[in-house]
Amino acid sequence: MKKIILNILLCVGFLANLFAQQTPAPKQTQAFTIEGATAHIGNGEVIENSLIMFSNGKIDFVGSANTKIARKGTIINAKGKHVYPGLIAANTSLGLGEIDAVRATRDFDEVGTYLPHIRSIIAYNAESKVVETMRPNGVLIAQVTPRGGRISGTSTVVQLDAWNWEDAAIKLDDAIHINWPSAFSRGRWWLGEDPGLKPNKNYNDQITELKDFFVNANKYLKSDKKQKNLPFEALSGVFNGKQKVFIHVNGEKSIVDAIDTFTGIGIKNLVMVKAHGADKVADVLKENNIPVVLERAHRLPSSEDEDYDLPFRTAKILTDKGILVGLGMEGDMERMSTRNLPFYAGTHAAYGLGKEKALQLITENNAKILGIDAHVGTLTVGKDATLFISAGDALDMRTNIINEAFIQGRKLSLETHQTKLWKRYANKYKK
């Protein structure tokens, strides 16, 4: 009997080791000094032969390695390498789904239409095998965002090395996410309708319904609230300015309608997400000081009359207009593809934006849009020591080989199921 129990325990231990995520790194107890690397600050600035020191989870010094100053703690010789702030992925359902084909592992879309009270962070799986694959590419922070409905719920910004969602959260409930009605619709072929694209005859009614929801919520919040209404309660942060409203919208008419609708009821803390056609209404976005979180560049144009490379050039167009632009990950295979975030930025770099401004899309700009720029987004004294060292250009998949990574000064493990398989088969063919 004892032998059977022992065998069961060994099997359980083996399976736990096989399927469990890497154990999160402990709190930083010793200082680190990174010397000799090319430092990409994240705000467009570059320091050759840099010196960066951090302790107690915060950056203490950023400057030239020629500076006469005592080095602290463990010294990392990074000569010939590059150091970057941790990359930030906006608008991703990372950690809310594991295997698309298994319904029980998908927790990013709740039943219902108006769901501002649904909090994505409650469903976040810090032990996701997908989450751990982000770190070897430098993606260390993400905005975990729900999907579906007219109002999907609230997102939360997390760091990607944690025991649970409480440990992971950097900024709880940072924004409400709205799926704006489409000005066009396709016929339902299964009902015998013409499958072609045509104006959405219910478009104005859907906008009115959405607007009325917010107007009624505002009235409720100003009332004596005798009967509790959870969806309306969840919108209090929108009206007092503590929460942003991320509007997932496509088409220049829809973008303008969304801006007019929400500014008309006194809500101005807006962010346009995906925003195909934003280049055509850039002046309106600039006038209202509205940032844009673009969809991934690696996609087809949204209409037949667009240039084939417009998705690659949109970040450049909007940036030149003075609009704050970040990158998001919504779309097919978005959770798995989030690890490719730096390479999407690299595509924008190749189409006119340049390396450092492209880096800003996923560092300083995303940090500003998500409201976490006081703590992360750039290599700046006083900010969190969330950064990584790469053997080469982090925006190029050929050279983004990460040697060290830190979140709040905690030295991370870069081992994942994928790296283990890579080493296993690399050794096989060496033999």
Side-chain angles (χ1 to χ4, degrees):
M1 185 66 181
K2 289 182 179 179
K3 189 173 181 181
I4 294 174
I5 294 173
L6 180 61
N7 287 335
I8 291 173
L9 290 174
L10 287 172
C11 288
V12 169
F14 172 77
L15 290 173
N17 184 61
L18 183 64
F19 293 108
Q21 189 199 35
Q22 288 290 322
T23 300
K27 186 176 180 179
Q28 183 182 9
T29 57
Q30 62 172 336
F32 283 93
T33 295
I34 302 172
E35 187 168 8
T38 298
H40 302 263
I41 305 302
N43 59 3
E45 183 184 353
V46 177
I47 301 176
E48 302 287 349
N49 190 27
S50 67
L51 179 67
I52 298 172
M53 295 187 285
F54 54 95
S55 60
N56 299 316
K58 300 290 183 181
I59 297 175
D60 299 321
F61 181 87
V62 178
S64 171
N66 296 324
T67 304
K68 293 183 178 179
I69 186 173
R71 276 50 171 167
K72 296 182 179 180
T74 301
I75 298 175
I76 300 174
N77 182 359
K79 189 172 180 61
K81 298 178 181 178
H82 299 257
V83 60
Y84 295 85
L87 307 182
I88 304 167
N91 185 34
T92 173
S93 57
L94 185 66
L96 301 181
E98 196 71 5
I99 303 170
D100 284 338
V102 180
R103 178 66 186 87
T105 71
R106 293 184 285 134
D107 206 5
F108 48 82
D109 186 358
E110 291 292 334
V111 175
T113 304
Y114 290 88
L115 305 169
H117 56 299
I118 296 298
R119 304 174 67 217
S120 63
I121 189 61
I122 300 300
Y124 177 70
N125 178 16
E127 293 189 342
S128 165
K129 299 291 281 186
V130 180
V131 167
E132 74 174 14
T133 66
M134 303 299 119
R135 300 192 295 263
N137 275 4
V139 181
L140 305 182
I141 298 171
Q143 181 195 37
V144 177
T145 306
R147 301 283 181 243
R150 182 65 68 214
I151 302 179
S152 304
T154 66
S155 57
T156 285
V157 184
V158 299
Q159 54 87 4
L160 303 182
D161 183 63
W163 287 100
N164 49 48
W165 68 261
E166 291 97 333
D167 293 338
I170 292 177
K171 186 171 185 180
L172 282 168
D173 305 322
D174 68 293
I176 297 288
H177 290 258
I178 296 170
N179 295 302
W180 189 258
S182 175
F184 296 90
S185 63
R186 293 189 181 277
R188 297 166 294 182
W189 58 267
W190 58 93
L191 295 179
E193 298 175 354
D194 178 6
L197 197 65
K198 57 182 71 66
N200 178 9
K201 62 182 180 181
N202 298 317
Y203 179 67
N204 291 328
D205 292 339
Q206 290 167 347
I207 293 176
T208 300
E209 182 181 355
L210 178 60
K211 179 180 178 180
D212 288 347
F213 185 85
F214 277 85
V215 170
N216 292 333
N218 196 24
K219 290 179 181 177
Y220 165 83
L221 293 167
K222 293 177 178 178
S223 70
D224 56 10
K225 307 175 189 176
K226 290 181 179 178
Q227 187 171 356
K228 197 172 184 67
N229 185 312
L230 285 178
F232 286 172
E233 293 272 358
L235 291 176
S236 61
V238 169
F239 289 104
N240 63 27
K242 292 183 179 178
Q243 276 183 317
K244 295 187 178 184
V245 177
F246 278 55
I247 304 176
H248 301 239
V249 58
N250 286 321
E252 52 265 38
K253 172 177 168 51
S254 295
I255 293 171
V256 173
D257 287 344
I259 294 171
D260 289 344
T261 298
F262 280 98
T263 55
I265 57 177
I267 298 174
K268 297 182 179 180
N269 207 359
L270 307 176
V271 177
M272 296 295 137
V273 185
K274 296 178 71 174
H276 301 170
D279 55 300
K280 298 180 178 65
V281 292
D283 292 337
V284 178
L285 293 167
K286 175 63 177 175
E287 179 183 346
N288 289 275
N289 194 29
I290 296 175
V292 173
V293 174
L294 292 175
E295 190 180 6
R296 294 177 264 176
H298 295 183
R299 61 177 177 83
L300 294 173
S302 57
S303 63
E304 293 180 355
D305 60 349
E306 285 184 356
D307 293 342
Y308 75 92
D309 59 353
L310 183 62
F312 305 152
R313 296 187 290 108
T314 302
K316 165 71 171 170
I317 295 169
L318 296 178
T319 299
D320 287 349
K321 288 283 188 177
I323 296 168
L324 183 63
V325 180
L327 294 189
M329 288 302 307
E330 186 172 356
D332 293 338
M333 297 285 290
E334 65 179 84
R335 292 176 295 283
M336 296 73 173
S337 295
T338 299
R339 63 176 173 264
N340 293 322
L341 179 69
F343 313 137
Y344 297 130
T347 297
H348 288 295
Y351 279 79
L353 199 57
K355 290 286 186 180
E356 300 309 316
K357 282 194 174 294
L359 176 66
Q360 275 184 264
L361 300 177
I362 53 177
T363 53
E364 184 181 46
N365 289 11
N366 267 356
K368 286 181 177 179
I369 292 170
L370 302 184
I372 56 174
D373 53 304
H375 306 288
V376 294
T378 58
L379 300 175
T380 304
V381 172
K383 290 191 178 182
D384 290 352
T386 298
L387 50 90
F388 64 91
I389 303 171
S390 175
D393 181 357
L395 304 189
D396 187 335
M397 67 176 65
R398 298 167 298 179
T399 57
N400 183 354
I401 302 171
I402 296 183
N403 307 119
E404 307 278 0
F406 301 83
I407 291 179
Q408 296 166 341
R410 299 180 293 113
K411 187 176 181 180
L412 308 181
S413 166
L414 298 175
E415 280 292 315
T416 71
H417 182 63
Q418 291 176 329
T419 59
K420 288 176 181 176
L421 287 175
W422 166 53
K423 291 175 182 177
R424 176 183 175 186
Y425 286 100
N427 289 330
K428 173 185 177 182
Y429 289 107
K430 280 181 183 177
K431 293 178 182 178

